Amino acid sequence: MTVEIVAESAVPVGLPPASMIERMTLILDAFDGATPTLTLLGLAERTGLPRSTVHRILDQMIRLRWLAHTPGGYRLGLRVLELGGLAAEHNELREVVSPLLYDLSQRTGLVGHLAVLDNREVLVLERAGGRSRSAIPTRVGGRLPAHCTAVGKALLATLDPGVAEASLRAGTGPRTPHSINDRVELHRELARIRNRQGVAVDTEELMTGVGCVAVPIRGRGVALAAISLSGTVDGERAALDTVRLARALSEVATEAGRALAPRQGRLR
C-alpha cells in the first residue's frame, strides 16, 4: 500500500508550460494580495518551474517592467499597474456607453463603435451590430489606423495640431483610393471637423463600400473616446444621412459625457 502511494505521488501531475508567455503568466499569477513580494525560491515553488528558469525569466520581466526588485525579493512592476489602469478605464467607458450605443444601433440599423485613440491607431472597445454587421469586419479589441476612420479623425481633431502631427508620423498610407494620403490635406480635414463641432465622416476611406459618422465623447472638455455609426454605401445607394446621424450620435455622446464626468478622475 505504501509503495503504491509513493509510486503514485512520483508521477508528475502535468508537464511545465513550454511557451514563454505561459511561464510569464505563471509567474505573474504567483503574486496575490497576501504575498505582494516573493523571493526567487518562493516563485519557483509556486510556479513549479526550475529555479534557473525562473531566474532567467525574471531578468527579462524586470527589464520589460513587468516586475521590479524589492528588498524582500520581487514585486509586480509599473507596467502591470499601467495596464490595469487602462483596463479599468476601458471597462468604465464600456459600462456607460455600451447600452446607449446598442440602443442607437437598434434604432438606426447601423453598426455602432466605441473607440479610444492610441497613438496612430484607434482601439475598438465596443461594437454594436446592425443590419450591415456582416459587411463591416471590425471586432472588439481590434486596431484601426486613426487617419482614415471617422472615430480616429474625431479624436485627432481634439488634439493640438502639433500633438496630432506626432500621431500621424509614418505608417499613414492609404487603405482605399478614398483614403487621405497627404498630411497637409489630413490637417485640413481635422480643421473641417473642428468647424463641424467634432463631427467626422469617413466615406469609404477605411473600407470600400462602407461609410461612417463619428463624434467624440467629452468629459469636462476632454475627449475620452469616440462613438460612430457605420453602414454600407455604394453607387446604387445614397450616402449616409450625415446630419441626422451626427445629431443622434451627439445626443448619445452628451449623455455619456455627463455620466462619465464624475468618474473622470479615474479615467485620466
Side-chain angles (χ1 to χ4, degrees):
M1 184 69 173
T2 303
V3 173
E4 290 177 359
I5 292 174
V6 171
E8 185 178 349
S9 63
V11 177
V13 174
L15 296 174
S19 77
M20 176 63 77
I21 291 177
E22 289 176 311
R23 294 179 180 186
M24 286 179 60
T25 301
L26 274 179
I27 290 173
L28 292 173
D29 286 345
F31 295 89
D32 55 36
T35 52
T37 301
L38 288 168
T39 63
L40 173 61
L41 178 59
L43 284 166
E45 291 176 345
R46 289 196 172 201
T47 61
L49 297 172
R51 191 185 305 187
S52 59
T53 299
V54 173
H55 188 268
R56 184 175 65 253
I57 297 174
L58 287 176
D59 286 342
Q60 298 178 59
M61 295 181 74
I62 289 170
R63 178 169 52 84
L64 296 172
R65 298 169 52 244
W66 288 110
L67 296 177
H69 277 298
T70 189
Y74 304 88
R75 60 173 173 78
L76 295 177
L78 291 178
R79 176 163 288 190
V80 177
L81 297 176
E82 291 166 358
L83 292 178
L86 287 174
E89 169 186 342
H90 295 166
N91 287 338
E92 292 210 23
L93 281 168
R94 292 181 67 185
E95 177 186 338
V96 170
V97 179
S98 291
L100 302 173
L101 189 64
Y102 272 87
D103 178 67
L104 186 57
S105 176
Q106 288 293 314
R107 287 191 283 119
T108 61
L110 300 176
V111 178
H113 293 99
L114 166 68
V116 293
L117 185 65
D118 186 13
N119 293 320
R120 294 187 298 270
E121 298 177 314
V122 288
L123 172 64
V124 178
L125 300 184
E126 189 63 274
R127 171 189 157 115
R131 288 189 293 270
S132 306
R133 59 184 177 274
S134 60
I136 303 175
T138 53
R139 62 178 179 85
V140 174
R143 289 178 175 271
L144 301 168
H147 75 287
C148 57
T149 58
V151 284
K153 291 190 294 182
L155 290 168
L156 288 175
T158 68
L159 305 177
D160 291 333
V163 178
E165 176 65 27
S167 299
L168 301 173
R169 290 177 190 152
T172 58
R175 282 295 192 95
T176 75
H178 301 281
S179 301
I180 297 174
N181 195 34
D182 180 76
R183 190 168 293 145
V184 174
E185 176 54 31
L186 185 52
H187 278 293
R188 289 180 184 145
E189 172 70 356
L190 298 182
R192 287 191 287 267
I193 292 169
R194 295 184 191 103
N195 289 336
R196 294 195 298 259
Q197 286 73 51
V199 177
V201 179
D202 153 23
T203 306
E204 300 185 274
E205 294 173 45
L206 178 67
M207 290 175 277
T208 300
V210 175
C212 186
V213 180
V215 300
I217 297 174
R218 299 178 184 274
R220 298 179 184 172
V222 178
L224 304 173
I227 54 173
S228 69
L229 288 170
S230 302
T232 55
V233 295
D234 56 45
E236 299 177 359
R237 295 186 56 184
L240 297 178
D241 187 343
T242 302
V243 174
R244 179 178 66 87
L245 296 179
R247 186 181 303 115
L249 284 163
S250 296
E251 290 173 357
V252 169
T254 299
E255 184 176 351
R258 287 172 180 161
L260 289 166
R263 314 182 188 201
Q264 194 170 348
R266 300 193 296 276
L267 293 173
R268 293 181 65 181

XYZ file of all heavy atoms in Angstrom, residues 154 157-158 190-200 214-218 246 249-250 253-254:
173
model
N -12.175 61.993 -35.509
C -12.896 62.760 -34.490
C -12.022 62.994 -33.272
O -12.067 64.076 -32.655
C -14.177 62.024 -34.094
N -8.876 65.339 -34.108
C -9.277 66.739 -34.222
C -9.363 67.430 -32.872
O -9.382 68.662 -32.805
C -10.619 66.845 -34.951
N -9.418 66.668 -31.776
C -9.483 67.276 -30.444
C -8.099 67.620 -29.901
O -7.984 68.272 -28.871
C -10.181 66.334 -29.438
O -9.359 65.184 -29.209
C -11.538 65.889 -29.949
N -8.992 67.705 -40.436
C -9.174 67.874 -38.997
C -9.722 69.262 -38.668
O -10.529 69.418 -37.753
C -7.846 67.632 -38.265
C -7.242 66.231 -38.409
C -5.954 66.125 -37.594
C -8.236 65.151 -37.981
N -9.285 70.280 -39.428
C -9.826 71.624 -39.227
C -11.308 71.667 -39.572
O -12.107 72.317 -38.872
C -9.046 72.630 -40.074
N -11.692 70.981 -40.648
C -13.108 70.939 -41.016
C -13.929 70.255 -39.926
O -15.053 70.664 -39.622
C -13.289 70.211 -42.354
C -12.816 71.011 -43.563
C -13.252 70.368 -44.862
N -12.496 69.162 -45.162
C -11.393 69.150 -45.914
N -10.903 70.270 -46.417
N -10.781 68.005 -46.166
N -13.372 69.214 -39.331
C -14.075 68.504 -38.259
C -14.274 69.432 -37.059
O -15.342 69.454 -36.441
C -13.290 67.240 -37.854
C -13.322 66.225 -39.002
C -13.849 66.622 -36.578
C -12.360 65.063 -38.819
N -13.277 70.214 -36.726
C -13.412 71.162 -35.616
C -14.504 72.181 -35.914
O -15.270 72.563 -35.029
C -12.075 71.864 -35.364
C -10.965 70.935 -34.894
C -9.684 71.693 -34.561
N -8.575 70.765 -34.369
C -7.625 70.556 -35.269
N -7.619 71.243 -36.403
N -6.668 69.675 -35.028
N -14.575 72.610 -37.161
C -15.615 73.571 -37.552
C -17.004 72.956 -37.506
O -18.005 73.678 -37.394
C -15.323 74.114 -38.951
C -14.119 75.035 -38.973
O -13.763 75.629 -37.962
N -13.472 75.142 -40.131
N -17.089 71.635 -37.594
C -18.387 70.949 -37.509
C -18.665 70.478 -36.085
O -19.440 69.561 -35.878
C -18.414 69.749 -38.456
C -18.341 70.094 -39.935
C -18.745 68.905 -40.806
N -17.858 67.764 -40.630
C -16.879 67.441 -41.483
N -16.653 68.183 -42.566
N -16.137 66.385 -41.270
N -18.030 71.103 -35.100
C -18.218 70.744 -33.694
C -17.886 69.284 -33.425
O -18.531 68.604 -32.630
C -19.644 71.045 -33.217
C -19.951 72.524 -33.010
C -20.095 73.260 -34.325
O -20.848 72.839 -35.209
N -19.388 74.367 -34.471
N -16.876 68.784 -34.110
C -16.368 67.448 -33.807
C -16.925 66.333 -34.653
O -16.514 65.172 -34.494
N -17.849 66.613 -35.557
C -18.434 65.564 -36.394
C -17.433 65.158 -37.474
O -16.975 66.000 -38.260
C -19.744 66.024 -37.047
C -20.285 64.939 -37.975
C -20.769 66.392 -35.980
N -17.091 63.879 -37.514
C -16.153 63.349 -38.514
C -16.873 62.364 -39.416
O -17.762 61.635 -38.964
C -14.974 62.677 -37.828
N -18.899 59.898 -36.971
C -18.447 59.771 -35.586
C -18.398 61.114 -34.890
O -18.271 62.160 -35.533
C -17.060 59.114 -35.539
N -18.485 61.069 -33.562
C -18.324 62.262 -32.725
C -17.543 61.856 -31.477
O -17.583 60.698 -31.055
C -19.680 62.881 -32.303
C -20.495 63.288 -33.516
C -20.464 61.914 -31.424
N -16.818 62.800 -30.871
C -16.101 62.485 -29.632
C -17.026 62.512 -28.417
O -18.053 63.206 -28.424
C -15.056 63.599 -29.546
C -15.701 64.758 -30.237
C -16.552 64.168 -31.337
N -16.663 61.757 -27.412
C -17.321 61.824 -26.105
C -16.424 62.657 -25.203
O -15.257 62.307 -24.988
C -17.523 60.426 -25.495
C -18.458 59.591 -26.373
C -18.079 60.524 -24.076
C -18.583 58.146 -25.896
N -16.961 63.728 -24.678
C -16.161 64.623 -23.837
C -16.626 64.545 -22.390
O -17.820 64.458 -22.123
C -16.264 66.066 -24.324
C -15.753 66.283 -25.744
C -15.942 67.725 -26.176
N -15.545 67.950 -27.558
C -14.303 68.231 -27.942
N -13.347 68.328 -27.030
N -14.020 68.432 -29.217
N -25.314 62.455 -37.155
C -24.483 63.278 -36.276
C -25.297 63.802 -35.101
O -24.814 63.854 -33.960
C -23.878 64.432 -37.061
N -25.841 60.825 -32.726
C -24.589 60.500 -32.041
C -24.237 61.555 -31.001
O -23.781 61.235 -29.895
C -23.454 60.380 -33.058
C -23.418 59.106 -33.899
C -22.527 59.294 -35.115
C -22.950 57.916 -33.065
N -24.452 62.817 -31.338
C -24.124 63.899 -30.399
C -24.982 63.820 -29.142
O -24.499 64.091 -28.031
C -24.315 65.256 -31.080
O -23.408 65.416 -32.149
N -23.458 61.051 -27.144
C -22.161 61.465 -26.611
C -22.335 62.430 -25.444
O -21.594 62.361 -24.448
C -21.336 62.110 -27.716
N -23.305 63.337 -25.540
C -23.558 64.275 -24.447
C -24.028 63.543 -23.200
O -23.559 63.815 -22.082
C -24.608 65.310 -24.877
O -24.114 66.050 -25.997
C -24.924 66.270 -23.737
